[in-house]
Amino acid sequence: DLAGAAPRARPPQNLKQRRTPMALKDLLQSQKTIRELKTETAALRLEKAEAARQKEQLEAHAAAVSREADREAAGRQREQTEAVEAAQRALFEAMRPLLLALPTARRAIAQNPALLARDMIGMFAPVDDFVGALGLTVIGTVGEETPYDSARHDCPALLAQGTPVIVATVGYAKGEQIWVKARVKEVI
């Protein structure tokens, strides 16, 4: 009597079969994730390679800039050295007549003590030429009487402007700039 019997439950389908659609979906999802990871990994590798290339370019540029800075510094040093040497040479050339005459004058004085100082005055003409070559002007003349000017004169005594003084040693100026004030003393 099968009719009165409770319907028989169907035997459960194979568990594997039931899981298959779900497992397939998971597998497809994981394959998609793997593809995405591979794509991301490839992109990261490209970014890493680009960063390395940029780093090499920046290092090469920094090295080139450093070499250029070194060349410029060496050039400035060379120019400065050349300028100092040129100034020294110009100074020597301006003083050469005096430098050549002094040893001769010393020997002449040593051999002839009666030689008069006025005989030696011509030897100092190169000094005047040198002062002129520098663009300097002489302040005062030794022995000259002049009114005191505190801007141009140096006096050990406290004097009022315009007080008569005598120039003891000359001074030097270049334009309006005083390089050395003339030393003066009060007329007594």
Side-chain angles (χ1 to χ4, degrees):
D1 258 350
L2 291 173
R8 232 169 121 184
R10 283 181 159 191
Q13 289 184 354
N14 188 340
L15 287 175
K16 213 175 191 184
Q17 285 178 343
R18 239 189 287 172
R19 289 188 195 163
T20 301
M22 196 59 144
L24 185 58
K25 184 178 177 184
D26 289 343
L27 179 63
L28 290 174
Q29 184 66 33
S30 69
Q31 286 179 349
K32 181 180 174 186
T33 305
I34 290 172
R35 275 193 304 269
E36 289 172 349
L37 288 173
K38 285 181 179 179
T39 302
E40 286 179 24
T41 303
L44 288 173
R45 283 187 183 131
L46 288 174
E47 286 178 17
K48 180 181 176 186
E50 177 63 18
R53 186 186 64 76
Q54 287 178 354
K55 178 183 174 196
E56 287 176 13
Q57 285 179 337
L58 289 173
E59 287 173 347
H61 180 68
V65 168
S66 178
R67 285 189 303 274
E68 180 63 24
D70 290 345
R71 270 193 302 277
E72 287 179 10
R76 282 191 302 275
Q77 180 65 38
R78 186 175 44 257
E79 288 171 1
Q80 184 179 13
T81 300
E82 289 170 359
V84 167
E85 288 174 358
Q88 290 172 340
R89 183 67 181 181
L91 178 62
F92 174 78
E93 288 301 321
M95 295 298 295
R96 183 168 55 162
L98 183 61
L99 295 172
L100 296 175
L102 278 176
T104 304
R106 281 191 193 120
R107 181 170 171 91
I109 292 168
Q111 289 181 343
N112 186 359
L115 190 63
L116 296 176
R118 72 173 174 261
D119 296 334
M120 304 301 292
I121 290 176
M123 179 183 79
F124 294 101
V127 174
D128 296 331
D129 295 341
F130 176 68
V131 169
L134 290 178
L136 297 175
T137 56
V138 178
I139 300 172
T141 303
V142 175
E144 165 189 30
E145 187 174 317
T146 185
Y148 177 69
D149 176 359
S150 62
R152 300 172 60 80
H153 298 143
D154 181 29
C155 184
L158 191 57
L159 300 176
Q161 290 287 96
T163 302
V165 292
I166 295 177
V167 176
T169 61
V170 298
Y172 293 95
K174 185 163 188 164
E176 295 298 315
Q177 187 180 26
I178 305 296
W179 284 21
V180 178
K181 290 182 176 184
R183 298 251 333 154
V184 296
K185 56 185 175 185
E186 186 176 9
V187 175
I188 300 179

